[in-house]
Amino acid sequence: KAGVTQTPRYLIKTRGQQVTLSCSPISGHRSVSWYQQTPGQGLQFLFEYFSETQRNKGNFPGRFSGRQFSNSRSEMNVSTLELGDSALYLCASSLALAGANEQFFGPGTRLTVL
Amino acid sequence: GENVEQHPSTLSVQEGDSAVIKCTYSDSASNYFPWYKQELGKGPQLIIDIRSNVGEKKDQRIAVTLNKTAKHFSLHITETQPEDSAVYFCAASIGGSARQLTFGSGTQLTVLP
């Protein structure tokens, strides 16, 4: 079974631009969560999507948004990029059934903002 | 919200020795506690998890213990090998429909040959 895939793996943008990252969950998984990983703040939850609806949201500004498609694939968007948005963005998928909370991570997208 | 503290931040052990990493959490509603291993350039890999109705869980050389009263849980790796060298993260979640994980700050484990 294929794991979680994320594209692109690396991205370089300049301040003020916007970026879209993509995540394909494990086949059959219905929940996709996004996390930001930085050396200073560690791993922080951004948001979770389930059945095309945002179910939970972390403490990030409105510049960070996402969506989920009917095939469970998800995208996240960051608008008006700031230097501090440089990070590894990780996507995790879950079956999201009762008692099955396991989340499996993809390799991440390394975003550098210049 | 939930807060997870993890210690130590770095840990060096000799090959064959045991390693123990400890975490505490603040929200008594948390009931799911996974551990992840992250190697350089890769995403976190789930290595073991435990739910609040269980006190201990073992998988070969890896074990996790949970003390709900004290709100702490620990990862134990026995007979360490150089390939165990990585950053380890603990996490906590309320579970159910609130699947978001709150992570500890990570432990850099180095196994010296």
Side-chain angles (χ1 to χ4, degrees):
Chain A
K1 210 178 212 182
V4 178
T5 57
Q6 292 187 245
T7 57
R9 291 293 313 277
Y10 302 92
L11 208 47
I12 299 175
K13 292 285 186 180
T14 57
R15 277 182 301 173
Q17 287 187 310
Q18 76 164 21
V19 67
T20 299
L21 313 180
S22 181
C23 171
S24 292
I26 293 170
S27 177
H29 284 199
R30 302 163 64 197
S31 164
V32 173
S33 297
W34 289 89
Y35 293 82
Q36 182 196 63
Q37 185 174 26
T38 60
Q41 299 299 317
L43 277 152
Q44 293 187 289
F45 172 76
L46 280 156
F47 30 65
E48 182 208 359
Y49 286 85
F50 177 82
S51 292
E52 302 178 64
T53 302
Q54 187 180 92
R55 296 301 176 102
N56 297 290
K57 190 176 192 308
N59 190 25
F60 279 82
R63 300 185 296 107
F64 292 81
S65 63
R67 59 177 175 167
Q68 186 180 35
F69 302 94
S70 58
N71 61 358
S72 295
R73 192 177 69 83
S74 176
E75 289 180 347
M76 72 162 275
N77 184 277
V78 188
S79 62
T80 319
L81 284 165
E82 300 177 0
L83 294 179
D85 297 334
S86 294
L88 181 66
Y89 289 89
L90 292 158
C91 161
S93 78
S94 172
L95 266 174
L97 297 176
N101 295 323
E102 295 88 346
Q103 292 189 34
F104 300 92
F105 283 84
T109 294
R110 171 75 60 187
L111 171 65
T112 302
V113 181
L114 302 176
Chain B
E2 174 67 279
N3 182 49
V4 177
E5 295 194 358
Q6 183 172 345
H7 300 280
S9 57
T10 61
L11 179 60
S12 292
V13 298
Q14 289 293 138
E15 183 177 356
D17 287 351
S18 296
V20 180
I21 303 171
K22 299 183 178 182
C23 290
T24 60
Y25 61 99
S26 61
D27 191 341
S28 56
S30 289
N31 61 10
Y32 174 65
F33 307 92
W35 286 87
Y36 287 87
K37 174 184 181 183
Q38 188 173 27
E39 296 173 308
L40 207 58
K42 296 184 178 180
Q45 174 195 359
L46 179 65
I47 55 172
I48 195 167
D49 57 12
I50 191 167
R51 288 172 172 78
S52 60
N53 57 348
V54 175
E56 183 174 358
K57 184 177 178 181
K58 209 171 181 180
D59 182 5
Q60 298 182 1
R61 298 186 296 109
I62 294 174
V64 57
T65 58
L66 171 65
N67 183 326
K68 279 218 78 179
T69 304
K71 288 194 265 187
H72 65 70
F73 55 114
S74 300
L75 177 72
H76 304 252
I77 306 174
T78 58
E79 301 171 22
T80 53
Q81 301 166 3
E83 51 266 38
D84 294 330
S85 296
V87 179
Y88 291 80
F89 292 95
C90 62
S93 167
I94 293 173
S97 61
R99 278 175 287 273
Q100 66 263 36
L101 296 171
T102 300
F103 283 88
S105 53
T107 297
Q108 173 69 63
L109 173 64
T110 303
V111 179
L112 305 167

